[in-house]
């Protein structure tokens, strides 16, 4: 939100993103992913957004969320599918470049929300669940904490994501 | 394998698929997904194959496995990525058409094998783990068994997959 002085009245001028979210929330008031970003918003595009999930065990955990109500991959057109997966691949590339993780895990479940969203998670041999999926049984404790062992901080990763994708929707 | 009579000697003539698997197994003798299909083989393509996973809780569970050693999505070229994900989308489309499931779940972990492979699983509100991922905690028992509740048998689904993808690599 930007503050805007007009005729002595301070008006709240919404950003494009806030306007889009307001429209979505008006259409689907009960939908959590229309009302809120669904994580720490990293960047916003017309069709999708990138958020970082705050998870103590998996500090390099991002989500690409399709902005419209589209639950399944095959609800998208082939072009939209490629756009969405290209974004997922770009997030994966940034994580690999900065973290050299053991593996990237990708998943789209969406059993509870009507938005296709991709989980993109950097995994390491030493992490709490490896080689199990993060939704599986815990394998070990990481005494110093996962964040301390990552090769880059979440803030650095967020910045790298924004640079990899270039200017956000507002600028283009 | 086809038997072939030549000069009175019965020779085992391998199919293209068996030859490809032999080559892969020779290159990577320790790799489970080079030595074996990794499930019930439904169809084989030059770059990937489709197998059905035999899982009592999830009878409509398929995998698209990249044939070469390529662990991450971003190890593929953009064209290969689209080819792979188009196959995943086609499998999803067949499952939706025949089962009208509550949701399709997609995931690529590959924490244990150097082959990118996609899990494609039809989910139902009544299934043993819904709305949790199939790798999460069990939510309930399904007394009559999941297979009895599906709108189509695995054999019907396999056949529908083969029809949706058209002739296999051997024929084209
Ligand atoms: Zn929504
Ligand atoms: Zn292999």
């Amino acid at each position: 939100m930007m503050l805007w002085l007009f005729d002595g009245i301070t008006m709240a001028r919404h950003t494009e993103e806030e306007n889009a979210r307001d429209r979505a929330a008006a259409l689907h008031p009960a939908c959590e992913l229309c009302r809120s970003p669904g994580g720490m918003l990293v960047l916003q595009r017309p069709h999708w957004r990138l958020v970082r999930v705050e998870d103590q065990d998996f500090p390099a955990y991002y989500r690409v969320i399709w902005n419209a109500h589209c639950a399944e991959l095959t609800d998208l057109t082939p072009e939209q599918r490629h756009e969405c997966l290209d974004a997922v691949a770009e997030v994966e590339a940034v994580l690999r470049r900065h973290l050299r993780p053991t593996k990237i895990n990708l998943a789209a479940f969406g059993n509870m929300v009507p938005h296709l969203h991709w989980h993109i998670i950097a995994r390491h041999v030493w992490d709490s669940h490896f080689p199990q999926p993060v939704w599986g049984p815990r394998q070990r404790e990481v005494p110093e904490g996962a964040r301390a062992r990552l090769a880059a901080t979440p803030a650095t990763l967020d910045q790298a994501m924004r640079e990899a994708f270039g200017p956000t929707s507002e600028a283009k």
Side-chain angles (χ1 to χ4, degrees), chain A residues 32-131:
Chain A
E32 192 194 318
L33 290 184
C34 281
R35 283 203 324 259
S36 67
M40 299 290 293
L41 188 65
V42 177
L43 58 88
Q44 178 78 37
R45 284 288 194 270
H47 290 161
W48 53 268
R49 61 188 182 261
L50 175 65
V51 305
R52 179 163 48 78
V53 178
E54 298 196 277
D55 184 311
Q56 225 175 304
D57 291 321
F58 303 101
Y61 183 163
Y62 288 81
R63 280 192 199 119
V64 168
I65 303 172
W66 197 256
N67 290 331
H69 277 204
C70 239
E72 303 282 17
L73 187 63
T74 48
D75 287 335
L76 305 183
T77 67
E79 292 69 32
Q80 290 173 330
R81 249 171 34 216
H82 292 169
E83 178 188 346
C84 187
L85 266 301
D86 286 349
V88 170
E90 188 66 49
V91 173
E92 172 178 304
V94 171
L95 290 177
R96 292 181 73 187
R97 199 153 58 231
H98 285 263
L99 300 178
R100 309 261 161 220
T102 310
K103 192 68 189 67
I104 298 290
N105 285 180
L106 306 172
F109 304 128
N111 296 336
M112 301 197 251
V113 281
H115 292 257
L116 176 69
H117 61 279
W118 286 92
H119 305 271
I120 305 147
I121 312 168
R123 302 295 309 275
H124 296 83
V125 279
W126 47 257
D127 77 33
S128 56
H129 289 61
F130 199 89

